[in-house]
């Protein structure tokens, strides 16, 4: 009887490791170079410009700028406006998202499209709309004056921090609504129906089922709004709030109005460091939340 002799398949020859490493380096080099040119070089240039003095390079500009009361007031004003605006966007955005997702009413689709439209508009358009509505010569004050007969404007808040916060809440709330709606769309409706059939009130379903599942989306939207409001300049400029000096407004004043480039570079470096710190903090918190949720 003939027995067939089977030969083992030839061993698979893998590419040498140094060759794979070199290929990975060549593929990584172009995007790293682009990022370094687009982001790294401007930051490095601003940082080096902040040490320029008439007599050479030193940290005297940093000492004079960071130690000034104007810088401390601008820093506090920037952080407080960003925090209040973010809190307002979270509250209003959560309410709107819950209504749009779970409370059907005629025209809900139109409202959703309008919210998406706001995302495409520049921020100064919202400020102009606020001026036409709530300015001292706006439509609301004209209507109140016609009703009461008092020519003095009843509303005069646009040039105050409250006006800036309200304008930012109006403009940035869709950045919270949209991720929440996407998160609510992934919730299993059977789970909500079972909870309602067992007698759970709508508030209890929202508090114990809906919001815990939407926490990552809420954190993502809130952190994005915080970063955007922290660096917002157009709304502060177009409200005409001359007494509301934030870090972006102070950078503009130092760099464009008074042409103090080293001082503006110091402020810009602080602004970038603050934004990067908030972003890294958000990434760490988001990683922990998603890790606990998947565990």
């Amino acid at each position: 009887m003939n027995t067939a002799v089977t030969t083992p398949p030839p061993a698979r020859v893998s590419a040498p490791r140094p060759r794979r490493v070199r290929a990975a380096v060549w593929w990584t080099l172009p995007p790293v170079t682009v990022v370094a040119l687009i982001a790294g070089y401007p930051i490095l240039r601003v940082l080096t410009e902040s040490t320029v003095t008439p007599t050479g390079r030193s940290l005297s500009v940093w000492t004079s700028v960071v130690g000034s009361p104007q810088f401390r007031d601008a820093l506090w004003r920037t952080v407080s406006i960003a925090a209040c605006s973010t809190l307002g966007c979270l509250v209003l955005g959560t309410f709107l998202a819950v209504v749009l997702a779970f409370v059907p009413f005629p025209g809900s689709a139109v409202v959703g499209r309008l919210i998406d439209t706001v995302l495409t508009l520049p921020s100064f358009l919202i400020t102009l709309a606020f001026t036409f509505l709530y300015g001292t010569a706006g439509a609301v004050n004209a209507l109140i004056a016609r009703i009461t007969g008092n020519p003095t404007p009843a509303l005069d808040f646009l040039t105050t921090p409250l006006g800036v916060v309200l304008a930012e809440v109006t403009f940035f709330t869709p950045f919270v609504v949209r991720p929440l709606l996407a998160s609510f769309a992934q919730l299993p409706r059977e789970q909500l129906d079972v909870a309602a059939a067992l007698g759970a009130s709508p508030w209890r379903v929202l508090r114990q089922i809906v919001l815990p599942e939407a926490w990552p989306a809420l954190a993502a939207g809130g952190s994005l709004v915080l970063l955007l409001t922290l660096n917002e300049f157009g709304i502060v400029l177009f409200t005409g709030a001359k007494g509301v000096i934030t870090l972006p407004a102070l950078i503009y004043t130092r760099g464009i109005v008074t042409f103090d480039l080293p001082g503006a570079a110091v402020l810009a470096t602080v602004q970038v460091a603050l934004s990067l710190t908030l972003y890294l903090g958000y990434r760490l918190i988001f990683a922990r939340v998603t890790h606990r949720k998947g565990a």
Side-chain angles (χ1 to χ4, degrees), residues 228-243:
L228 292 175
T229 54
L230 194 71
N231 298 284
E232 177 58 37
F233 173 66
I235 289 178
V236 178
L237 179 65
F238 277 86
T239 53
K242 297 180 179 179

Side-chain angles (χ1 to χ4, degrees), residues 14-190:
S14 59
R17 183 175 180 82
R19 183 178 299 177
R20 293 200 302 267
V21 173
R22 286 196 299 269
V25 170
W26 281 111
W27 280 106
T28 308
L29 190 59
V32 170
T33 304
V34 172
V35 172
L37 291 176
I38 294 177
Y41 174 74
I43 294 176
L44 182 61
R45 183 61 186 272
V46 169
L47 184 60
T48 55
E49 187 69 26
S50 66
T51 61
V52 174
T53 62
T55 59
R57 291 187 179 274
S58 68
L59 297 178
S60 59
V61 181
W62 278 84
T63 304
S64 61
V65 172
V66 176
S68 64
Q70 190 180 25
F71 167 77
R72 292 193 294 268
D73 293 341
L75 180 61
W76 163 248
R77 185 73 70 187
T78 303
V79 174
S80 61
I81 288 178
C84 293
S85 300
T86 303
L87 181 60
C89 289
L90 289 174
V91 174
L92 181 60
T94 302
F95 172 76
L96 291 176
V98 169
V99 171
L100 290 174
F102 302 109
V103 184
F105 62 93
S108 60
V110 177
V111 174
R113 296 295 181 270
L114 290 176
I115 291 175
D116 293 338
T117 303
V118 174
L119 295 174
T120 65
L121 299 177
S123 59
F124 69 85
L125 286 182
I126 300 298
T127 309
L128 289 178
F130 263 60
T131 303
F132 295 146
L133 287 175
Y134 308 113
T136 54
V140 175
N141 275 319
L143 179 61
I144 295 176
R146 180 176 299 180
I147 294 174
T148 61
N150 185 6
T152 304
L155 300 178
D156 189 14
F157 63 88
L158 279 185
T159 58
T160 66
L162 176 61
V164 176
V165 169
L166 292 178
E168 290 187 353
V169 169
T170 303
F171 180 72
F172 290 110
T173 292
F175 290 89
V176 176
V177 174
R178 183 45 55 192
L180 279 178
L181 288 177
S183 177
F184 291 159
Q186 298 178 357
L187 285 174
R189 295 290 176 171
E190 295 80 6

Side-chain angles (χ1 to χ4, degrees), residues 182-206:
S183 177
F184 291 159
Q186 298 178 357
L187 285 174
R189 295 290 176 171
E190 295 80 6
Q191 186 177 4
L192 303 179
D193 294 338
V194 169
L198 293 176
S201 63
W203 169 246
R204 186 176 181 182
V205 172
L206 177 66

